[in-house]
Amino acid sequence: MSRPVLSLPLPVHLKTRLLQNGFVRAADFEEVESSSELLQIFSASEVRLISSLARAQPSIRTGWVLSNEAQTIRGVSTRVKGLDRLLGGQGLAAESGSVCEIVGQPGEGQTELCLRLTMAVQAAGMRAVYVDSTGSFSYSGANRAAERLREQIQNEGGSALPETKALLEGIGVFRIYYAHELVALLSEFDDICQQLGNVSSRCTKLCMEGNNSICFYY
């Protein structure tokens, strides 16, 4: 059975480009992989990478192996104890390859949570990307979130957070107004994160059908 393109261990920008050009399953790519037209879409090295992964059979791993791997994943606390418990007790996974989506009704605090998380990862020496599709990111909101988080960590006896200015400099903010802008951003996302350096959480706040959804990509 041919694997869906989204299941292949490829960078986000390559998956996006495959889908944009009609490659939904690995078999779709295999049928035309020898075509010279592919080189107008992908570089030769990208074609070789996609071809090798498209042919590879998914490996079978037992539940015991997956459980042991989960125990070794390094986590970053969200600084919200209840949320850390829901995420397995360790908070957000610091390793790449996972997605966490939090959904709620408008006004339930998704924006504040997203801001807190972009700052919480900085307590672990990392950076974050905030993709804002609703115009929710503001200096005043970020400043309040920083002060509340700093006060909480101080009361808990943890290491002090950097000053607000340094926290805001540790967040790469992208404002998105149209769907094609989001697609364009995702196609270059890996390169953008490499340029920013040491990016752990890519915190994306989206508005979908009246409900707010926060997605964290690692």
Side-chain angles (χ1 to χ4, degrees), residues 126-137:
M126 304 172 189
R127 300 187 66 183
V129 172
Y130 188 113
V131 180
D132 180 10
S133 65
T134 64
S136 58
F137 188 93

Side-chain angles (χ1 to χ4, degrees), residues 127-216:
R127 300 187 66 183
V129 172
Y130 188 113
V131 180
D132 180 10
S133 65
T134 64
S136 58
F137 188 93
S138 67
Y139 171 77
S140 59
N143 187 62
R144 286 195 302 271
E147 292 304 320
R148 290 172 183 169
L149 184 57
R150 184 180 289 109
E151 181 179 353
Q152 176 188 339
I153 292 177
Q154 184 177 0
N155 292 337
E156 293 174 352
S159 302
L161 277 175
E163 293 301 316
T164 299
K165 180 176 182 293
L167 286 173
L168 295 179
E169 289 177 341
I171 305 172
V173 180
F174 295 89
R175 292 197 185 278
I176 297 298
Y177 299 97
Y178 302 101
H180 70 270
E181 292 179 336
L182 181 58
V183 171
L185 175 64
L186 290 176
S187 67
E188 303 294 335
F189 213 26
D190 291 319
D191 292 337
I192 290 171
C193 289
Q194 288 179 2
Q195 292 174 17
L196 291 172
N198 201 27
V199 172
S200 172
S201 297
R202 308 166 191 184
C203 302
T204 308
K205 186 170 187 299
L206 303 173
C207 185
M208 300 188 299
E209 298 180 358
N211 290 337
N212 279 344
S213 173
I214 311 172
C215 301
F216 303 94

Side-chain angles (χ1 to χ4, degrees), residues 40-54:
Q40 298 176 14
I41 307 172
F42 304 98
S43 68
S45 60
E46 289 173 340
V47 171
R48 288 194 296 270
L49 173 62
I50 298 171
S51 296
S52 63
L53 293 175

Side-chain angles (χ1 to χ4, degrees), residues 92-143:
L92 297 171
E95 279 74 10
S96 62
S98 60
V99 178
C100 174
E101 182 175 4
I102 301 172
V103 181
Q105 295 295 329
E108 291 186 341
Q110 291 91 339
T111 297
E112 167 124 1
L113 175 60
C114 199
L115 288 169
R116 283 171 62 90
L117 292 175
T118 60
M119 297 171 187
V121 298
Q122 294 185 60
M126 304 172 189
R127 300 187 66 183
V129 172
Y130 188 113
V131 180
D132 180 10
S133 65
T134 64
S136 58
F137 188 93
S138 67
Y139 171 77
S140 59
N143 187 62

